[in-house]
Amino acid sequence: MAMVKKAENRELLTPSPIITVTPARAMVDETVRVFASHMLPRQSVTLYAYLISEKQTKWESWGHYITDADGNVRVACQMSQGGTYSGCEPMGLFWSMKPAPGSQKGSRLCRLNVMKPCVAHIQVFRGHLNEKFNIASPIAMTTIERWYIRPGVIRIPITQDDIRGTLFIPNGSGPFPLVIDLWGGGGGIYEYKSSLLASHGFAAAVLTYIDHPDLPGKGADIHYFEEACEFLCRRPDIDSENIGFIGTSHGTSVGLQIASESTIRLNCAVFTNGVFVRSEIGASRAHMAFSVPPGLLCEKDEDGNFLTCDFLNYHRILKEEGEQAFIRIYKKLKDVGKEHLAEVLRYPQAGHLLEPPYAPLCTLGYAKPPRALTRDASNALYIKFGGSPKPHDVAQEHSWKAILEFLDKHLRNRKRKRLITPSRL
């Protein structure tokens, strides 16, 4: 009887399990530390994370752990035995997230309102679970806010004449180098990359050019981007002599046309997983033809001012066309002695949509097709984007760092100090 009472007293004195995330408010491209404590030594536990997207889709992930001799789990240095990821993965609970069973086909975790954080919930369960988290009882829980914009960054909607988009101005004193940001063939406007770039000290303007309700007329032609750039460069906080470009998927095709045919003098351009499709932008937004713009990169390269960084991977739809197109681009540069201007990073097992670090892999997307693929060009297709979660995560972390370094190298005046030191949340 005395032994039972003693055991009960010891249990009462044992602190309840705790899980913490440090920092509890962080940028999405920052690593965080997940630490669970006050559990039994060598205990089997599951760390489970979930969030509800703005489209009300539940995303979830989990890892199986064995607590150490002190009853703790340090995700940064301990091995996950299974779940949606395995091994020592400090950010595994984030990049391995996937839509919960029953979610809409082609779901993609993409922040629409960058002025609010993405809130993730992290829980601890006894044992190694793979399902029924909604009916199990967690022994500890916490939340983390993950942000796409730092304090002090200013968001400015662009509604000048026919131009539509959003400009982000960094915290601090300018003028700041400008980066033009274009999304792919899915249309609309996604601000998260521009807000992140502004958080790293670049003025960034995401421009819509297809499939947006406020975009007048038939769509955007080359003059649309020239007028947008001219308008932005009139601002005193924009450094008009240092302009860069970043495009994703179909946005790279538009970027190549801007680089080779427009009056915009780009210092550098980043093409992320481009399919290198020549688009007649002023025509129907669904019209696409598979060819490379004539005189690509060469006509504006003679003075050596144009620098390009192409992020290319093999596992994507139209991979052969994209690879062959880049070979032709590289040959044109080599013919005029400018091959040193092209930098290439390849990620063999990554998916098509390379996002900022720790975003979940999107293997299936929803996009507007070429007219040749459908009788009704207004219909959209599901497209397989390919990739494997872990190699995709490695590619995203590496490429984002490389992109920031590339933009910093070619857009900032080397004789001046870094324009700002980004503040922590």
Side-chain angles (χ1 to χ4, degrees):
M1 188 75 175
M3 292 288 292
V4 172
K5 186 156 186 149
K6 188 174 181 181
E8 289 176 349
N9 289 338
R10 185 166 60 247
E11 187 172 329
L12 289 173
L13 293 173
T14 303
S16 299
I18 298 173
I19 183 167
T20 59
V21 181
T22 308
R25 300 178 72 245
M27 296 296 293
V28 295
D29 56 354
E30 291 182 76
T31 57
V32 297
R33 299 181 297 280
V34 181
F35 176 59
S37 60
H38 299 155
M39 295 171 289
L40 297 177
R42 311 303 178 190
Q43 181 181 3
S44 296
V45 295
T46 299
L47 269 60
Y48 173 74
Y50 77 92
L51 60 83
I52 307 299
S53 73
E54 291 163 293
K55 295 184 178 180
Q56 299 306 301
T57 300
K58 183 178 183 180
W59 289 75
E60 60 183 1
S61 61
W62 60 93
H64 297 157
Y65 289 90
I66 305 293
T67 63
D68 62 19
D70 298 319
N72 302 326
V73 172
R74 292 177 173 83
V75 173
C77 56
Q78 288 180 238
M79 303 284 286
S80 168
Q81 309 296 315
T84 54
Y85 64 98
S86 59
C88 183
E89 296 292 344
M91 296 295 287
L93 285 170
F94 300 96
W95 63 254
S96 73
M97 279 189 167
K98 58 183 183 180
S103 298
Q104 182 180 355
K105 181 181 179 182
S107 294
R108 172 171 169 251
L109 186 57
C110 178
R111 192 69 193 170
L112 302 177
N113 183 359
V114 299
M115 303 307 291
K116 293 184 178 181
C118 180
V119 180
H121 305 263
I122 303 179
Q123 301 175 332
V124 183
F125 293 91
R126 292 186 179 92
H128 288 167
L129 307 181
N130 288 302
E131 59 181 354
K132 299 182 179 179
F133 294 102
N134 59 326
I135 62 176
S137 298
I139 59 176
M141 63 183 71
T142 191
T143 59
I144 175 177
E145 292 184 357
R146 305 184 71 221
W147 288 82
Y148 287 84
I149 188 168
R150 291 187 187 275
V153 173
I154 302 172
R155 177 184 181 274
I156 305 171
I158 302 173
T159 56
Q160 174 72 17
D161 298 328
D162 290 344
I163 306 166
R164 297 294 181 269
T166 308
L167 172 66
F168 291 88
I169 299 294
N171 183 25
S173 58
F176 303 98
L178 174 66
V179 179
I180 302 296
D181 176 18
L182 295 187
W183 180 237
I189 186 167
Y190 296 91
E191 300 177 352
Y192 60 90
K193 194 172 291 182
S194 284
S195 63
L196 274 178
L197 287 171
S199 298
H200 285 277
F202 303 95
V206 53
L207 299 175
T208 183
Y209 62 102
I210 53 173
D211 197 24
H212 190 277
D214 292 338
L215 194 64
K218 296 183 293 184
D221 58 17
I222 199 70
H223 303 293
Y224 173 86
F225 299 103
E226 292 174 340
E227 291 171 5
C229 192
E230 182 181 351
F231 164 71
L232 292 169
C233 287
R234 289 201 295 265
R235 295 180 58 95
D237 48 8
I238 298 294
D239 181 357
S240 61
E241 295 185 359
N242 287 288
I243 304 173
F245 172 88
I246 184 167
T248 299
S249 189
H250 178 56
T252 64
S253 176
V254 181
L256 290 171
Q257 188 175 5
I258 291 173
S260 60
E261 299 177 12
S262 78
T263 59
I264 301 171
R265 296 186 63 85
L266 296 178
N267 292 68
C268 63
V270 176
F271 304 125
T272 307
N273 286 358
V275 293
F276 301 104
V277 177
R278 172 61 186 269
S279 300
E280 295 178 16
I281 307 174
S284 171
R285 62 192 182 200
H287 179 70
M288 301 166 69
F290 299 100
S291 63
V292 181
L296 187 60
L297 302 184
C298 297
E299 296 174 1
K300 294 296 180 71
D301 268 351
E302 294 302 324
D303 56 4
N305 286 334
F306 189 88
L307 299 162
T308 180
C309 180
D310 186 282
F311 293 88
L312 188 66
N313 75 67
Y314 292 109
H315 291 259
R316 65 173 187 270
I317 197 160
L318 304 176
K319 66 175 184 178
E320 183 177 351
E321 288 84 349
E323 178 72 1
Q324 292 303 316
F326 177 76
I327 291 174
R328 291 194 293 271
I329 293 170
Y330 188 80
K331 184 178 183 301
K332 284 181 177 292
L333 289 173
K334 189 174 181 180
D335 288 344
V336 294
K338 303 284 184 169
E339 66 270 22
H340 62 282
L341 300 181
E343 300 177 23
V344 187
L345 294 180
R346 292 181 171 91
Y347 303 105
Q349 297 182 55
H352 176 60
L353 294 178
L354 284 183
E355 305 278 30
Y358 319 122
L361 169 66
C362 176
T363 59
L364 192 67
Y366 198 56
K368 301 292 188 300
R371 286 188 183 277
L373 298 182
T374 177
R375 293 181 179 179
D376 182 2
S378 65
N379 291 337
L381 298 174
Y382 285 108
I383 300 177
K384 292 182 178 179
F385 289 142
S388 299
K390 178 54 186 174
H392 188 76
D393 170 63
V394 172
Q396 289 187 149
E397 190 170 357
H398 184 273
S399 64
W400 183 244
K401 180 181 178 182
I403 288 170
L404 293 176
E405 289 176 349
F406 181 84
L407 293 175
D408 190 73
K409 176 181 178 181
H410 298 299
L411 291 184
R412 298 186 197 275
N413 189 328
R414 298 177 186 178
K415 296 181 181 180
R416 290 187 295 172
K417 295 181 179 179
R418 187 177 177 87
L419 294 177
I420 68 165
T421 301
S423 59
R424 296 189 66 84
L425 289 171

